[in-house]
């Protein structure tokens, strides 16, 4: 079906809606992702503050940790047990406690013996930010467990020489983003489908309307032709009625025939009340 100008114009709103919805979906996806990150950062700071209070309660303030000390494992055994329980209660997070000198004294994902092999954490981005600003964030791959995390670190509010860090796997964040994307995609699909259905209905109505207009135009032209023929015949009849002889009638007929037989050829039969027949051919 060839589209008319009106039907093509009817497609414009649908195309505008589709493009707008796609752009809006991309925009909202970025906004939602940023909001998820912001919310998780705020929640992680609160969780890290909880860890910091546990650190104050069960960790020595004056002891400077050294992985080579014989007492390193036993000194923080209570802290490790506490953060293991806390990590289980908080769900899919990892808790790390780092001394101000960069030594990791506790980690919910590692055993005490494994802590001795860890690199110094003093130069980790989130740790540097926490030392400078009181808290810090970073998104990176863990050198220890090779998992991408959102790291949040905070310093102790009461001067304890430790940095408490909470890590949220990016897989958790991406799962939330995927869920939000499905919701957005569903809303976008419904809107686009509604726009397409509405446009199809409108185009069909315009097509029917166009056919009706075409049929009406043909009918009006047919009526015009029939009316013109009848008018011409009436005029011819009136002129013939005042003719006195056949010669005058022939002149009248000769003048009207070209208008009655426009196709260039045909015949006109005239029968009067006395049934005398006059046949005029027009070539």
């Amino acid at each position: 079906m060839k589209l008319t100008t009106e039907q093509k114009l009817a497609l414009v709103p649908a195309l505008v809606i589709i493009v707008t919805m796609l752009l809006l979906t991309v925009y909202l996806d970025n906004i939602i992702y940023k909001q998820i990150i912001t919310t998780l950062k705020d929640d992680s700071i609160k969780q890290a503050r909880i860890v910091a209070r546990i650190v104050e309660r069960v960790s020595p303030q004056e002891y400077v940790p050294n992985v080579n000390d014989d007492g390193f494992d036993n000194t923080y055994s209570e802290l490790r047990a506490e953060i293991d329980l806390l990590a289980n209660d908080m769900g899919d997070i990892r808790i790390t406690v780092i001394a101000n000198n960069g030594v990791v004294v506790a980690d919910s994902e590692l055993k005490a013996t494994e802590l001795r092999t860890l690199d110094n954490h003093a130069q980790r981005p989130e740790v540097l930010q926490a030392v400078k600003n009181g808290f810090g964030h970073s998104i990176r791959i863990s050198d220890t467990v090779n998992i991408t995390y959102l790291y949040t670190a905070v310093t102790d509010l009461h001067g304890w020489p430790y940095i408490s860090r909470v890590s949220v796997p990016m897989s958790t964040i991406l799962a939330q983003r995927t869920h939000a994307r499905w919701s957005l995609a569903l809303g976008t699909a419904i809107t686009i489908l509604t726009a397409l259905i509405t446009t199809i209905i409108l185009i069909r109505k315009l097509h029917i309307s166009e056919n009706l207009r075409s049929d009406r135009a043909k009918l009006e032209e047919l009526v015009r032709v029939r009316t013109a023929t009848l008018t011409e015949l009436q005029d011819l009849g009136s002129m013939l009625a005042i003719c006195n002889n056949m010669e005058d009638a022939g002149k009248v007929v000769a003048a009207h025939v070209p208008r009655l037989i426009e196709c260039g050829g045909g015949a006109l039969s005239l029968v009067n009340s006395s049934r005398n027949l006059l046949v005029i051919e027009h070539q």
Side-chain angles (χ1 to χ4, degrees):
M1 180 182 67
K2 187 177 180 180
L3 298 180
T4 63
T5 301
E6 290 182 352
Q7 292 171 338
K8 291 179 180 178
L9 290 175
L11 287 173
V12 174
L15 293 176
V16 171
I17 291 174
I18 292 173
V19 173
T20 301
M21 287 303 302
L22 291 176
L23 293 176
L24 183 61
T25 300
V26 174
Y27 173 75
L28 290 177
D29 177 58
N30 290 328
I31 293 296
I32 291 173
Y33 176 70
K34 291 179 181 178
Q35 185 60 44
I36 291 173
I37 293 294
T38 300
T39 301
L40 285 176
K41 284 182 177 180
D42 293 340
D43 292 343
S44 295
I45 289 178
K46 295 175 183 178
Q47 293 169 338
R49 294 295 182 198
I50 295 173
V51 176
R53 288 197 291 271
I54 295 175
V55 172
E56 291 179 9
R57 180 165 53 84
V58 299
S59 299
Q61 184 176 14
E62 302 298 332
Y63 175 70
V64 178
N66 187 327
V67 294
N68 296 319
D69 289 348
D70 294 335
F72 176 75
D73 293 342
N74 293 329
T75 301
Y76 296 99
S77 59
E78 185 178 359
L79 172 62
R80 293 170 189 138
E82 290 280 354
I83 68 168
D84 285 346
L85 290 174
L86 184 60
N88 289 332
D89 292 339
M90 288 183 173
D92 191 19
I93 67 169
R94 177 186 174 193
I95 298 174
T96 307
V97 179
I98 306 165
N100 280 358
N101 63 354
V103 175
V104 178
V105 299
D107 191 301
S108 61
E109 296 289 330
L110 301 175
K111 298 178 181 179
T113 54
E114 294 176 307
L115 298 177
R116 294 178 178 272
T117 63
L118 295 180
D119 295 333
N120 190 283
H121 280 42
Q123 298 302 312
R124 295 294 194 268
E126 66 281 356
V127 174
L128 291 174
Q129 292 178 36
V131 171
K132 181 179 179 180
N133 304 318
F135 67 91
H137 304 285
S138 70
I139 298 177
R140 57 184 178 80
I141 299 176
S142 170
D143 295 332
T144 306
V145 295
N146 198 33
I147 296 176
T148 303
Y149 284 106
L150 166 63
Y151 289 98
T152 300
V154 299
T155 53
D156 190 85
L157 296 176
H158 302 100
W160 238 252
Y162 299 96
I163 297 167
S164 301
R165 189 180 72 180
V166 170
S167 312
V168 180
M170 285 300 294
S171 57
T172 301
I173 299 172
L174 293 178
Q176 295 182 32
R177 187 182 191 184
T178 300
H179 179 74
R181 279 179 168 176
W182 275 111
S183 299
L184 279 175
L186 180 61
T188 301
I190 291 174
T191 302
I192 292 176
L193 183 61
T194 301
L196 289 175
I197 292 174
T198 303
T199 302
I200 291 172
I201 293 174
L202 180 59
I203 288 176
R204 287 184 177 179
K205 287 186 175 181
L206 288 173
H207 180 66
I208 294 173
S209 178
E210 182 66 25
N211 289 339
L212 289 175
R213 284 197 296 270
S214 178
D215 292 342
R216 181 178 178 180
K218 292 178 181 178
L219 181 60
E220 289 178 348
E221 177 64 18
L222 181 61
V223 171
R224 185 193 67 79
V225 172
R226 293 291 185 268
T227 302
T229 301
L230 290 174
T231 301
E232 192 67 32
L233 286 173
Q234 289 175 351
D235 292 342
L236 176 60
S238 299
M239 295 296 293
L240 288 175
I242 62 175
C243 292
N244 294 321
N245 51 57
M246 293 298 292
E247 183 179 357
D248 292 340
K251 293 179 180 179
V252 170
V253 170
H256 283 77
V257 165
R259 293 195 294 269
L260 287 170
I261 308 176
E262 296 180 353
C263 61
L268 175 66
S269 299
L270 302 176
V271 181
N272 61 14
S273 58
S274 62
R275 297 180 181 266
N276 291 331
L277 177 63
L278 174 65
V279 177
I280 300 96
E281 291 186 358
H282 177 65
Q283 297 294 333

